[in-house]
Amino acid sequence: MSNGSVLPPPDKYRGAVVEDLQLPPAFSLPRTELIAHAIELAYDRDFSHIPVLGQRRKLLGYVEVATLKQKWEAGEVNPTDKIASCMTKFNRSPTTNPYTIITPDTPLAELESFLKDHIFALITDYERKFVLGVATSQDLEAFVSRRGI
């Protein structure tokens, strides 16, 4: 019996939300942190991207750990340089790049959609005052693998 309507595809994540990914707690670094220390911390925690904070803990951007390491090995930066010199700043324009809030309660289907256009997502509280985690498409793949979805 068909009335011509098309059913939406089933939710492959079965209603799971970001919190279900069981991400390790995020850590952020001040823009004045030394490159050598940032790389060490990232490898200790197995992070590929680190949020960078300014004064009053305002989120400014991020550093990509692999890029930091490459620049260091190529002699383009010194281990005592500050991570701000290698930081990718967030485009905060509400018209050209509106901010997408991703919280622990965000459905994984929404996170997957966001990650189609971004290399990672910062998981924040509802007021965007704290970075709680960093999610990547690899985190989604690991979740699917663990759950056998």
Side-chain angles (χ1 to χ4, degrees):
M1 219 153 109
S2 174
N3 62 1
S5 67
V6 178
L7 293 173
D11 180 4
K12 73 177 179 182
Y13 298 108
R14 301 178 184 160
V17 296
V18 169
E19 186 173 31
D20 296 321
L21 292 175
Q22 298 177 340
L23 299 169
F27 75 100
S28 302
L29 295 175
R31 62 181 294 153
T32 56
E33 187 63 67
L34 302 180
I35 287 175
H37 193 232
I39 291 172
E40 178 183 327
L41 289 170
Y43 281 113
D44 285 349
R45 292 173 172 85
D46 196 27
F47 272 76
S48 56
H49 299 85
I50 305 170
V52 177
L53 306 175
Q55 293 179 354
R56 297 185 199 105
R57 300 190 49 83
K58 179 180 177 186
L59 193 57
L60 301 176
Y62 67 94
V63 290
E64 191 169 355
V65 178
T67 301
L68 275 181
K69 189 171 183 271
Q70 288 171 350
K71 287 185 175 191
W72 182 2
E73 290 171 348
E76 296 173 22
V77 296
N78 293 311
T80 56
D81 290 347
K82 297 184 179 13
I83 59 173
S85 66
C86 299
M87 174 181 71
T88 300
K89 292 182 181 178
F90 289 124
N91 177 355
R92 296 185 177 270
S93 169
T95 53
T96 60
N97 199 17
Y99 188 87
T100 302
I101 297 175
I102 300 177
T103 70
D105 295 330
T106 299
L108 291 185
E110 286 182 32
L111 177 63
E112 178 185 47
S113 178
F114 179 84
L115 290 172
K116 287 179 182 174
D117 298 319
H118 303 86
I119 55 176
F120 67 94
L122 294 176
I123 314 308
T124 65
D125 64 317
Y126 291 101
E127 290 82 35
R128 300 186 314 184
K129 291 184 179 180
F130 302 102
V131 177
L132 305 173
V134 178
T136 65
S137 55
Q138 291 82 12
D139 294 315
L140 282 175
E141 291 166 10
F143 177 82
V144 168
S145 175
R146 282 192 315 268
R147 294 283 175 104
I149 300 174

